[in-house]
Amino acid sequence: MRVLILGGDGYLGWPTAMHFAALGHDVCVIDNYLRRNIAQQTQSEALMPTPNLHKRAEIFQSLTGHSIRVEIGDCADYRTLSNLFADFLPETVIHYAEQPSAPYSMMGFEEATLTLNNNLNATMNLIWAVMEHTPDCHVVKLGTMGEYGTPNIDIEEGWIDIEHKGRTGRFLYPRAAGSLYHTTKVLDTDLLWFYVRTYNLRVTDLMQGPVYGLSTTETDLDSRLNPNFHYDDIFGTAVNRFLVQAVAGIPLTVYGKGGQVRGYLNLKDTLQCVQLAVDTPVAAGDLRILNQFTETFSVNDLASRIERVGNSMGLSVEVKSIPNPRKEPEDHYYNPAHSGLMELGLQPNYMTDDVVAAMLEEVIAYKDYIDVSRIMPRVKWK
Ligand code: USQ
């Protein structure tokens, strides 16, 4: 199958590209290095040095014999994307090409508009390139569990049946995002739903929770194939940050009360979920929404787990609540459904103590690269 990956340089895009190439698919990635550039501008570079895409594709090919076509270009530019579609004629597109950091989107006007323009334009251009060149192509779009927020009722998988004044209807589940970044994902879903119901596109929207880890079958081949592992306050996500803090001997930065619950998943499971979605394309005119996580934890649960495992390995780990830089409920109900991917065959890699220990070992190998000035939050939601 010809698989086009938008945002192929990212934490998820690169491991996804290798995974599909290793399965024997014909893989093309496009990326404009936006995240690398923002990371440089904000002093938020990844923990491990990551060669550029051409170099990584070369290393991967030398080790496995599988090639990955690399295009450096901007998906927010319609001509660039349209020309690539006309040339590659993808059968599946996996769309990660978005500015993914909630804190970055909350820094100020420039960062907010960059996030809005980049994310919405990339999605809009993808829709039009599909309609122009490959109307049968299955679009697998990465959304986020953060679209739903933390409502006081159970979260369904994308849709909700509502009875109102004696009549019933099916609607997109109400969304209440907690950052401008998460709001762009809500807008993406609305755009896709409009074009699906009007022009019969085929779309799967994966509502993903925070991802953790470094290890996949392909990244384990050579450390130069690792994904971009961030631990700073802008691009680092909670688990990856706590792992680095544990190794650096910095108290784990629980924001506020630490009762914020999210649905987490191992990087290996992102690859499984995306593959399950790709292997079961939806019918024309269908928007399938799947909640993509394997288990829920509060921030306090995560911190205690990493503290316990880290201390058993001889590290000196403490947990400390710091004022929450975000505006979010810190103690709330959270019960999201997530049976769709399990029904498709997902075999979860849960966050066991062994998994935490293995991730800590990987970070320990790069202990000297940790810059402790990147840990404390620099961006406030005001
Ligand atoms: N948190 C802490 N301490 C930290 C970092 C985070 O307590 O040092 C808390 C946050 O306040 C939040 C929770 O941990 O309540 C999760 O934060 P995060 O930084 O791990 O995740 P988030 O900003 O929500 O965004 C990440 C990815 C984003 C993806 C999203 C999925 O950056 O691209 O869409 O996870 S979700 O969170 O389900 O919306």
Side-chain angles (χ1 to χ4, degrees):
M1 192 186 290
R2 286 183 303 281
V3 181
L4 174 61
I5 299 175
L6 313 184
D9 188 51
Y11 176 56
L12 305 174
W14 173 244
T16 304
M18 291 192 290
H19 179 74
F20 279 90
L23 289 170
H25 295 298
D26 194 357
V27 175
C28 174
V29 296
I30 177 167
D31 202 293
N32 65 345
Y33 293 143
L34 175 69
R35 182 201 40 81
R36 283 187 193 245
N37 291 333
I38 295 176
Q40 277 182 2
Q41 286 159 13
T42 55
Q43 302 255 42
S44 310
E45 284 100 338
L47 178 63
M48 298 124 193
T50 37
N52 69 29
L53 264 176
H54 282 106
K55 188 72 198 159
R56 290 202 276 187
E58 206 179 291
I59 298 165
F60 178 66
Q61 181 160 17
S62 72
L63 293 171
T64 65
H66 294 292
S67 67
I68 293 174
R69 172 173 164 186
V70 173
E71 296 291 333
I72 303 304
D74 186 358
C75 298
D77 175 67
Y78 185 67
R79 279 296 135 222
T80 301
L81 198 61
S82 172
N83 290 342
L84 181 57
F85 265 75
D87 184 49
F88 187 67
L89 296 175
E91 290 154 284
T92 298
V93 181
I94 305 171
H95 176 21
Y96 294 108
E98 305 226 341
Q99 190 300 98
S101 161
Y104 180 79
S105 75
M106 301 298 287
M107 284 175 83
F109 179 75
E110 300 291 332
E111 295 83 358
T113 49
L114 182 152
T115 304
L116 185 72
N117 292 336
N118 180 77
N119 295 3
L120 268 293
N121 284 335
T123 301
M124 185 67 166
N125 290 347
L126 160 63
I127 289 167
W128 277 85
V130 167
M131 293 197 301
E132 190 179 0
H133 302 289
T134 55
D136 251 357
C137 171
H138 180 204
V139 174
V140 176
K141 158 80 175 60
L142 269 288
T144 170
M145 285 299 293
E147 290 185 35
Y148 304 120
T150 53
N152 199 34
I153 58 171
D154 290 356
I155 296 173
E156 304 303 329
E157 296 207 59
W159 303 95
I160 188 166
D161 295 316
I162 294 183
E163 193 186 323
H164 182 65
K165 296 185 177 172
R167 298 181 67 80
T168 55
R170 189 158 194 255
F171 300 90
L172 283 173
Y173 189 92
R175 278 81 49 80
S179 77
L180 192 269
Y181 152 72
H182 288 98
T183 302
T184 64
K185 301 293 236 185
V186 171
L187 300 172
D188 276 341
T189 301
D190 277 323
L191 259 187
L192 288 165
W193 175 216
F194 169 71
Y195 281 98
V196 164
R197 67 180 188 262
T198 309
Y199 295 99
N200 283 328
L201 302 192
R202 302 169 192 269
V203 178
T204 298
D205 202 352
L206 297 172
M207 302 292 158
Q208 184 169 242
V211 184
Y212 58 85
L214 272 164
S215 165
T216 72
T217 308
E218 291 77 30
T219 65
D220 289 348
L221 293 172
D222 187 311
S223 63
R224 293 170 300 169
L225 298 178
N226 275 337
N228 322 286
F229 184 90
H230 289 273
Y231 62 98
D232 62 275
D233 61 314
I234 293 177
F235 285 107
T237 49
V239 182
N240 290 352
R241 276 169 61 68
F242 288 172
L243 294 168
V244 170
Q245 293 165 7
V247 170
I250 296 166
L252 309 191
T253 54
V254 166
Y255 292 168
K257 287 190 208 157
Q260 302 92 312
V261 184
R262 300 288 183 270
Y264 290 85
L265 81 165
N266 192 308
L267 177 59
K268 289 180 176 146
D269 291 343
T270 292
L271 303 188
Q272 268 197 77
C273 292
V274 171
Q275 190 189 333
L276 288 166
V278 167
D279 287 348
T280 56
V282 292
D286 199 2
L287 170 63
R288 170 175 58 175
I289 303 181
L290 298 166
N291 292 346
Q292 183 160 308
F293 65 91
T294 57
E295 48 194 336
T296 57
F297 298 111
S298 71
V299 173
N300 284 331
D301 293 340
L302 281 175
S304 325
R305 180 174 294 225
I306 292 171
E307 179 185 37
R308 180 169 47 74
V309 177
N311 286 334
S312 75
M313 293 167 68
L315 297 169
S316 179
V317 188
E318 275 177 67
V319 178
K320 190 171 167 207
S321 164
I322 59 171
N324 194 341
R326 305 184 181 198
K327 189 166 177 196
E328 61 184 358
E330 295 173 3
D331 192 4
H332 56 88
Y333 181 77
Y334 199 63
N335 188 28
H338 61 121
S339 57
L341 283 156
M342 297 294 283
E343 281 157 21
L344 289 178
L346 172 64
Q347 310 260 316
N349 289 278
Y350 293 116
M351 195 193 290
T352 59
D353 287 2
D354 286 348
V355 167
V356 173
M359 293 191 293
L360 284 168
E361 290 292 356
E362 288 185 275
V363 174
I364 288 168
Y366 290 88
K367 185 174 181 196
D368 293 346
Y369 288 64
I370 299 172
D371 176 349
V372 293
S373 71
R374 295 181 184 177
I375 303 270
M376 296 314 273
R378 292 169 288 180
V379 183
K380 293 192 172 53
W381 265 223
K382 48 167 88 152

